[in-house]
Amino acid sequence: MKKVGKPVFFIVALLIVFLTYTSFFGISTQYGDVTKTWIKGADTIRWGIDIRGGVDVTFTPPEGVDATEDELAAAQAVIETRLINQNIADYEVYKDTAKDRIIVRFPWKENETDFNPEEAIQELGETALLSFREGMETDENGLPAGITAENVILSGNMVESAQAVVDQQGLPLVSLKLTSEGAKAFDEATGRLSQESPKGRISIWMDELMISAPEVQAHITDGNAVISNIGDIEEAKDLANKINAGALPFKLETENYNSISPTLGMGARDAMVLAGVIAFILIAIFMILYYRLNGVVAVIALMGQVAGIIIGVTGYFPAIPSFTLTLPGLCGMILSIGMGVDANVITAERIKEEVRAGKTLDGAIDSGFERGFAAIFDSNITMIIVAVILMGSFGPTDSLFAKMLSPIFSMFGPATAGNIYSFGYTLLVGVILNFIMGVTATRLMLKSISKFKPFRKLWLYGGVDE
């Protein structure tokens, strides 16, 4: 930080301006009637059921098929996996074993204009494509790459059954029984991978989502295998359901469907967005008038924080699906921006105190950031803990945070509350960005601009020029 050069301010500021513009408006090109999206804008956000409404659909097996409870649970796991894979957090999935049906509610797609529920449910109605692949190589989007993309060992129809069991030591396992064709393929693959050092892995994929990657411990010749090193019996049941889903003897059919009206509507969203814009403008005016140059730098950093949060929910790049944003999610964004304002106020006050205490300008800036960081860190780390707990407790059971903290969150049981999960997600993204923009970017810009002679006047930092 001591060697920050003069150009750094302009580089950081221009980067923030670029991110701000592209996060809201995106970048796309058009050739004739074909539009190519390079960067997604705010108009691609997938809004939750509370804001935009969605689809209510009931799935059933084909006529004449009496699905077992395990098969329905497997089908439910398929649908949940697909929703999570699309970053759709605001959903509800129920199974009705008495009537052999699965009820699903989820929001409209971000680009939906016709609001046709029949088209919307096509992304959920197919039986999942299950595959066992060699290794666990992925590209930057989490898709199979290298040998993992090239070598499919088993497909879902080669799995006869998967069952969650407990061994003699009480450890959860998933027991696999393969068909004759699957047993032959597994014989060749495990015989080869078990001899590697370190031992090879066989990853299990549901559509384009890797759900497990067990290590090959032994050569399996009889078509009966077990997956070990699973957290608890609930995780074992969940994995078994997903594996069974790839071998379902039926395709899910749509019994009925209808549109869901939003509980709050786009008007509530627009009102909250307008309130946020007005609040940002008032805060910017206050920061600039009261903290002068510190305030100008803080406003630029706040713009970067807002842009970063928008990027976090739009997906930004076309290959990444947008995150489902609910009204509480907007509240999380606004709250995290408030934390960003607080961080900049703390730093500006500390710099002002150091300048008035007689320190040199460079010494005051360094000391101001160092003194203010402890308070900023304490408040922000507390908010991160709260956000992670909300996401782990009320988010999808397959979410990253639920898996990372499964020993803690297993007591809550499976639950999906899209509103709460959305709030936790935007709050977490915003607070992390506060460290990046409100601390790091602000310091870089302020140390850089303070090297220019016109900006070395102490009154610009709250002091009094001699």
Side-chain angles (χ1 to χ4, degrees), residues 370-387:
E370 290 172 4
R371 288 182 56 202
F373 181 76
I376 295 170
F377 180 83
D378 289 346
S379 60
N380 281 265
I381 202 68
T382 303
M383 297 302 290
I384 288 176
I385 293 171
V386 171

Side-chain angles (χ1 to χ4, degrees), residues 190-201:
T190 57
R192 176 168 46 83
L193 296 174
S194 63
Q195 300 301 316
E196 294 183 356
S197 180
K199 293 184 182 297
R201 290 180 179 271

Side-chain angles (χ1 to χ4, degrees), residues 235-279:
E235 289 186 29
K237 289 179 179 177
D238 185 53
L239 180 58
N241 283 340
K242 290 173 181 175
I243 294 174
N244 284 326
L248 281 175
F250 57 83
K251 174 183 175 181
L252 293 174
E253 294 186 349
T254 305
E255 183 180 71
N256 59 67
Y257 53 82
N258 59 276
S259 300
I260 305 173
S261 298
T263 54
L264 295 171
M266 300 293 279
R269 180 207 65 177
D270 295 341
M272 181 165 284
V273 171
L274 178 60
V277 171
I278 293 173

Side-chain angles (χ1 to χ4, degrees), residues 241-437:
N241 283 340
K242 290 173 181 175
I243 294 174
N244 284 326
L248 281 175
F250 57 83
K251 174 183 175 181
L252 293 174
E253 294 186 349
T254 305
E255 183 180 71
N256 59 67
Y257 53 82
N258 59 276
S259 300
I260 305 173
S261 298
T263 54
L264 295 171
M266 300 293 279
R269 180 207 65 177
D270 295 341
M272 181 165 284
V273 171
L274 178 60
V277 171
I278 293 173
F280 186 90
I281 293 172
L282 293 176
I283 289 169
I285 293 172
F286 167 77
M287 293 290 290
I288 293 172
L289 292 178
Y290 193 78
Y291 292 109
R292 300 163 191 173
L293 187 59
N294 285 332
V296 173
V297 172
V299 170
I300 296 173
L302 286 172
M303 286 174 53
Q305 186 175 350
V306 173
I309 299 172
I310 298 296
I311 287 171
V313 296
T314 59
Y316 203 58
F317 298 109
I320 303 174
S322 63
F323 182 84
T324 307
L325 188 59
T326 62
L327 205 62
L330 286 172
C331 294
M333 295 173 61
I334 294 172
L335 178 58
S336 64
I337 294 169
M339 297 291 292
V341 174
D342 181 62
N344 283 284
V345 167
I346 290 173
T347 301
E349 286 290 345
R350 295 294 182 272
I351 293 174
K352 183 194 293 186
E353 290 172 3
E354 297 296 327
V355 169
R356 292 183 177 181
K359 282 195 174 183
T360 63
L361 179 57
D362 294 333
I365 292 174
D366 288 334
S367 182
F369 276 100
E370 290 172 4
R371 288 182 56 202
F373 181 76
I376 295 170
F377 180 83
D378 289 346
S379 60
N380 281 265
I381 202 68
T382 303
M383 297 302 290
I384 288 176
I385 293 171
V386 171
V388 169
I389 290 174
L390 289 174
M391 294 182 68
S393 303
F394 298 98
T397 54
D398 275 352
S399 69
L400 174 63
F401 295 97
K403 288 182 176 179
M404 287 171 54
L405 304 173
S406 57
I408 299 174
F409 299 126
S410 58
M411 67 183 72
F412 294 101
T416 301
N419 288 339
I420 301 175
Y421 184 75
S422 180
F423 174 81
Y425 175 81
T426 54
L427 180 62
L428 178 66
V429 171
V431 174
I432 291 174
L433 284 165
N434 189 21
F435 281 110
I436 298 172
M437 295 294 177

